[in-house]
Amino acid sequence: MQPPELQAPLQTQESRCPQPPFEHLFLSGAEAGTAAYRQAVSTATDILVRFALQPQPYRGASPQELAAVLAGDPCPEAGLPTREVLERVEELVVQHSVKVTHPDCIAHLHCPPLIPALAAEMVVSATNQSLDSWDQSPAATIVEQQIVQWLCRLYFAQAGDGTFTSGGTQSNFMGLLLARDHYALTHLDWNCEERGLPPGAERLRILCSQAAHFTVQKSAGLLGLGRASVVPVGPDSDYRLRGVAVERAIADLRRDGLSPIALVATAGTTDLGSIDAMAELAIVARTHGLWLHADAAVGGALALSEHHRGLLAGIEAADSITVDFHKLFYQPISCGAFLVRNRRAFEVLRLHADCLNPEGTEEAGIPDLVIKSVLTTRRFDALKLYICLQALGRREFARLVESTMELARATATIIEHDPELELACYPAINAVVFRYAPEGLSAFELDSINKTVQATLLRRGRAVVARTRLKDRVQLKFTLLNPLTTVDHIRGLLQEIKAIGRAEAARGVAADPASTVSCLAPNSPMLNL
């Protein structure tokens, strides 16, 4: 019985009147709900089609201007008609969003989503399956398992296992989680999941390239190993981590009484798209008994291309792999996967909950996906990829990826032959890093001008271009994921970049202008390659 303070007051005769119907709020099969759903989806479709016709990639509003526009109480006492709310959202939110399908929206690893995937999102959200138990997601569970096994054959050339994730951050975390626990079990006879960190955990080390994603450090911190446990190793002149450099680093660590446990190989760095020498790193990892995690969040889609899959040679030897689908697989955010070569690696995560996966369910043939994930509730994101794979097929996916790589190479050639521009390095996949750099200007002046160029393009709504640092110099970056971007678009944008640069040079360099930040984490070892 509830305590008195939690008991609801007794209903009067009047208060026991029937509640107003709720059928119009849910897609349940009731006529009112079906009509309301059709109207809401139709309104949303019209809004998105109008947004697709927007001529610029961004309207140029500042954070302060958007905060003022969106000021107000988000939860009024009484609601408004859905159509009216959606139309207001179009004016205040959608029209001030970044148009990722625009050819000049080329800043980040932020792809235009495929139309079949947009349709899939409607099915995913409306059916609302949750992949933490079979009885919440029967068909969804089977589809995810089928996609995971296809991915394992694609990357490992054998059966393995995996789970869908929110993206590279979660997948990299899981790779290092399993690496830590595998080392503790096999070398120290210690179960971290049950007992916490083992004695001497402060001596454990993870090796990666200086250009590896910042989530390697972030994961090490969350896992209790500390960010200092990550040992960044210098890449070669092509910004690829090589086996010789890792061998030297391992020797240095062991000489200092430290214990290397894992090696992270990156297949597509965030800024340059560089791909580490994974075949060499696989040999080093096997020789020294290290867990090899391949972060292929960026470059994983190369496996679809007959022309470029060789760039991933050696990935089949990885113990675990990160792959993102909201990059070069053109899926809406979020959509990623974490794969393991040996399905027994997931055993450290196994935990039974009577409400979800009681003992004996697997023996009864009931699939149990919750034991493979650090999440409980999970969306049916595998359906988006499933529908797109069925609709496009491997060859069409490969053509999309290959077209962006061809564009990147053409862009690099244009920049190389322009005396006002300076190419940082030749693109490995489809990221082109460069800067406005005519003769006669100091390093400080060039840094300031390039910051202004990027900020000006965004403020004008002309283009969404990234800014980063390489060898301690400010650089601009085109991330050419969009197959709708052409060489003509690039030529026009480069002309505008040079025009802004010339105007700034003529005006003289002033204080550092406000602009967007680098995509790399503060204090990251990757900042000054």
Side-chain angles (χ1 to χ4, degrees), residues 171-188 190 192-193 197-198 204-207 216 219-220 223 225 259-264 285 289-294 318-321 338-340 345-346 348-349:
S171 295
N172 285 345
F173 174 81
M174 290 188 70
L176 295 182
L177 168 67
L178 296 188
R180 181 199 68 181
D181 290 0
H182 173 78
Y183 179 87
L185 281 172
T186 58
H187 290 74
L188 307 175
W190 187 276
C192 292
E193 299 297 319
L197 293 178
L204 305 183
R205 293 294 181 266
I206 299 162
L207 297 101
V216 176
S219 297
L223 290 168
L225 302 177
S259 301
I261 66 169
L263 173 59
V264 178
L290 307 183
W291 181 281
L292 179 61
H293 176 68
D319 294 290
S320 57
I321 297 175
F338 172 71
L339 310 172
V340 292
F346 281 125
V348 295
L349 299 180

Side-chain angles (χ1 to χ4, degrees), residues 247 250 263 278-292 314 316-319 341:
E247 286 276 11
I250 291 173
L263 173 59
M278 284 187 289
E280 295 178 16
L281 301 184
I283 293 172
V284 173
R286 184 166 61 248
T287 300
H288 294 279
L290 307 183
W291 181 281
L292 179 61
E316 66 279 359
D319 294 290
R341 186 157 47 88

Side-chain angles (χ1 to χ4, degrees), residues 359-426:
E359 299 280 358
T361 55
E362 289 180 274
E363 291 76 5
I366 299 174
D368 185 8
L369 302 190
V370 74
I371 63 171
K372 298 189 294 184
S373 179
V374 295
L375 303 179
T376 304
T377 303
R378 282 196 300 116
R379 299 179 81 241
F380 184 20
D381 285 319
L383 184 64
K384 297 184 289 192
L385 184 60
Y386 178 83
I387 287 176
C388 289
L389 290 173
Q390 293 281 311
L392 274 71
R394 184 197 62 79
R395 286 196 299 270
E396 190 69 2
F397 260 113
R399 287 183 61 236
L400 291 175
V401 176
E402 290 163 0
S403 71
T404 68
M405 297 180 72
E406 291 165 6
L407 177 62
R409 284 152 176 70
T411 300
T413 300
I414 294 170
I415 292 171
E416 274 187 312
H417 291 88
D418 193 313
E420 292 183 83
L421 302 175
E422 178 182 274
L423 184 68
C425 63
Y426 201 72

Side-chain angles (χ1 to χ4, degrees), residues 84 112 119 159 167 193 211 226 299 331 353 396 450 528:
E84 183 177 335
E193 299 297 319
Q331 300 301 297
E396 190 69 2
N450 279 280
N528 295 308

